[in-house]
Coordinates of all heavy atoms in Angstrom, one line a residue:
I86 N -22.7 -2.0 21.8 CA -21.7 -2.2 22.8 C -21.3 -3.7 22.7 O -22.1 -4.6 22.6 CB -22.2 -1.9 24.2 CG1 -22.3 -0.4 24.2 CG2 -21.2 -2.3 25.3 CD1 -23.2 0.1 25.4
S93 N -4.6 -1.6 18.1 CA -3.7 -0.8 17.2 C -2.3 -0.7 17.9 O -2.1 -1.0 19.1 CB -4.2 0.6 17.0 OG -4.3 1.3 18.3
T96 N 4.0 -0.6 13.9 CA 4.6 -1.7 13.2 C 5.3 -1.2 11.9 O 4.8 -0.3 11.3 CB 3.6 -2.8 12.9 OG1 4.3 -4.0 12.3 CG2 2.6 -2.4 11.8
R102 N -3.9 -1.0 12.5 CA -5.2 -0.9 13.2 C -6.0 -2.1 12.8 O -6.1 -2.4 11.6 CB -6.0 0.4 12.8 CG -5.4 1.6 13.3 CD -6.1 2.0 14.6 NE -5.9 3.5 14.8 CZ -6.9 4.3 15.2 NH1 -8.1 3.8 15.6 NH2 -6.7 5.5 15.4
S111 N -15.0 -13.4 24.3 CA -14.4 -13.5 25.6 C -13.1 -12.8 25.7 O -12.5 -12.5 24.6 CB -14.2 -15.0 26.0 OG -13.2 -15.5 25.1
K120 N -2.8 -11.3 19.9 CA -1.5 -12.0 19.8 C -1.2 -12.5 18.4 O -0.1 -12.4 17.9 CB -1.6 -13.1 20.9 CG -0.4 -13.9 21.0 CD 0.5 -13.3 22.1 CE 1.9 -14.0 22.1 NZ 3.0 -13.1 21.9
E138 N 19.3 -5.5 10.4 CA 20.5 -6.1 9.7 C 20.3 -7.6 9.6 O 20.9 -8.3 8.7 CB 21.7 -5.8 10.5 CG 22.3 -4.5 10.1 CD 23.5 -4.1 10.9 OE1 24.1 -5.0 11.6 OE2 23.7 -2.9 11.0
S140 N 17.5 -9.3 9.0 CA 16.3 -9.8 8.3 C 16.8 -10.6 7.1 O 17.9 -10.5 6.6 CB 15.5 -8.6 7.8 OG 16.2 -7.9 6.7
E169 N 6.4 -10.9 -10.7 CA 5.3 -11.0 -11.7 C 4.8 -9.6 -12.0 O 4.5 -9.3 -13.2 CB 4.2 -11.9 -11.1 CG 3.2 -12.2 -12.2 CD 1.9 -12.5 -11.5 OE1 1.8 -13.3 -10.5 OE2 0.8 -12.0 -12.0
D187 N 18.0 4.8 -1.7 CA 19.0 5.3 -0.7 C 19.6 6.6 -1.3 O 19.8 7.6 -0.5 CB 20.2 4.3 -0.6 CG 19.7 3.1 0.3 OD1 18.6 3.1 0.8 OD2 20.5 2.1 0.4
P200 N 21.3 16.0 -3.5 CA 20.7 14.9 -4.3 C 21.7 14.3 -5.3 O 22.7 15.0 -5.6 CB 19.6 15.6 -5.1 CG 20.0 17.0 -5.1 CD 20.8 17.3 -3.9
D202 N 23.8 13.2 -8.6 CA 23.8 13.8 -10.0 C 23.6 12.7 -11.0 O 23.5 11.5 -10.7 CB 25.1 14.6 -10.2 CG 26.4 13.7 -10.1 OD1 26.2 12.5 -10.1 OD2 27.5 14.2 -9.8
R231 N 24.0 -10.2 -10.0 CA 25.1 -9.4 -9.6 C 25.1 -9.3 -8.0 O 24.1 -9.2 -7.4 CB 25.0 -7.9 -10.0 CG 25.0 -7.7 -11.5 CD 24.7 -6.2 -11.8 NE 25.6 -5.3 -11.1 CZ 26.4 -4.5 -11.7 NH1 26.4 -4.4 -13.0 NH2 27.2 -3.7 -11.0
D233 N 26.0 -7.0 -6.1 CA 25.6 -5.7 -5.6 C 24.1 -5.4 -5.8 O 23.7 -4.3 -5.6 CB 26.5 -4.6 -6.0 CG 26.6 -4.5 -7.5 OD1 25.9 -5.3 -8.2 OD2 27.4 -3.7 -8.0
V250 N -2.1 -11.1 8.5 CA -3.0 -10.9 9.6 C -4.4 -11.5 9.3 O -5.0 -12.1 10.1 CB -3.1 -9.4 10.0 CG1 -4.1 -9.2 11.1 CG2 -1.7 -8.9 10.5
D255 N -8.6 -15.4 10.0 CA -9.4 -16.5 9.4 C -9.2 -17.8 10.1 O -10.2 -18.5 10.4 CB -9.0 -16.7 7.9 CG -9.4 -15.6 7.0 OD1 -10.3 -14.7 7.4 OD2 -8.9 -15.5 5.8
N316 N 5.2 11.3 1.5 CA 6.6 11.2 1.8 C 7.4 11.8 0.7 O 7.7 11.2 -0.3 CB 6.9 9.6 1.9 CG 8.3 9.4 2.5 OD1 9.0 10.3 2.7 ND2 8.5 8.1 2.7
R324 N 9.2 19.0 -6.0 CA 8.9 17.9 -5.2 C 9.8 16.7 -5.5 O 9.8 16.2 -6.6 CB 7.4 17.5 -5.4 CG 6.9 16.5 -4.4 CD 5.5 16.2 -4.8 NE 4.6 17.4 -4.5 CZ 3.6 17.3 -3.7 NH1 3.3 16.2 -3.1 NH2 2.8 18.4 -3.5
H327 N 9.2 9.9 -2.9 CA 9.8 8.6 -2.6 C 9.5 7.5 -3.6 O 10.0 6.4 -3.4 CB 9.5 8.2 -1.1 CG 8.1 7.7 -1.0 ND1 7.8 6.6 -0.1 CD2 6.9 8.0 -1.5 CE1 6.5 6.4 -0.2 NE2 5.9 7.2 -1.0
S343 N -2.2 10.4 -6.7 CA -2.3 9.1 -6.0 C -3.0 8.1 -6.9 O -3.8 8.4 -7.8 CB -3.0 9.2 -4.7 OG -4.4 9.4 -4.9
A356 N 1.5 -3.5 -4.4 CA 2.5 -3.3 -5.5 C 1.9 -2.6 -6.7 O 2.6 -1.8 -7.3 CB 3.0 -4.7 -5.8
K386 N -4.4 21.4 -14.9 CA -3.5 22.5 -15.1 C -3.7 23.6 -14.0 O -2.7 24.3 -13.7 CB -3.7 23.1 -16.5 CG -3.2 22.3 -17.6 CD -3.1 23.1 -18.9 CE -2.9 22.2 -20.1 NZ -4.1 21.5 -20.5
Q400 N -17.5 -0.7 -11.4 CA -18.4 -1.8 -11.0 C -18.5 -2.0 -9.5 O -19.5 -2.4 -9.0 CB -17.8 -3.1 -11.7 CG -18.2 -3.2 -13.1 CD -17.5 -4.4 -13.8 OE1 -16.7 -5.1 -13.2 NE2 -17.6 -4.5 -15.1
S404 N -22.0 -1.9 -7.7 CA -22.5 -3.1 -7.1 C -22.6 -2.9 -5.6 O -23.3 -3.7 -4.9 CB -21.6 -4.3 -7.4 OG -20.4 -4.2 -6.7
I410 N -11.3 -9.3 -8.4 CA -10.6 -9.0 -9.7 C -9.2 -9.4 -9.5 O -8.7 -9.5 -8.4 CB -10.8 -7.5 -10.0 CG1 -12.3 -7.2 -10.1 CG2 -10.2 -7.2 -11.4 CD1 -12.5 -5.8 -9.8

Side-chain angles (χ1 to χ4, degrees):
I86 293 164
S93 63
T96 188
R102 290 264 205 140
S111 66
K120 183 91 189 116
E138 273 174 25
S140 72
E169 191 206 316
D187 288 352
D202 60 19
R231 294 174 59 117
D233 54 4
V250 174
D255 288 347
N316 192 354
R324 186 184 292 241
H327 74 143
S343 77
K386 287 196 196 78
Q400 280 169 4
S404 71
I410 306 153

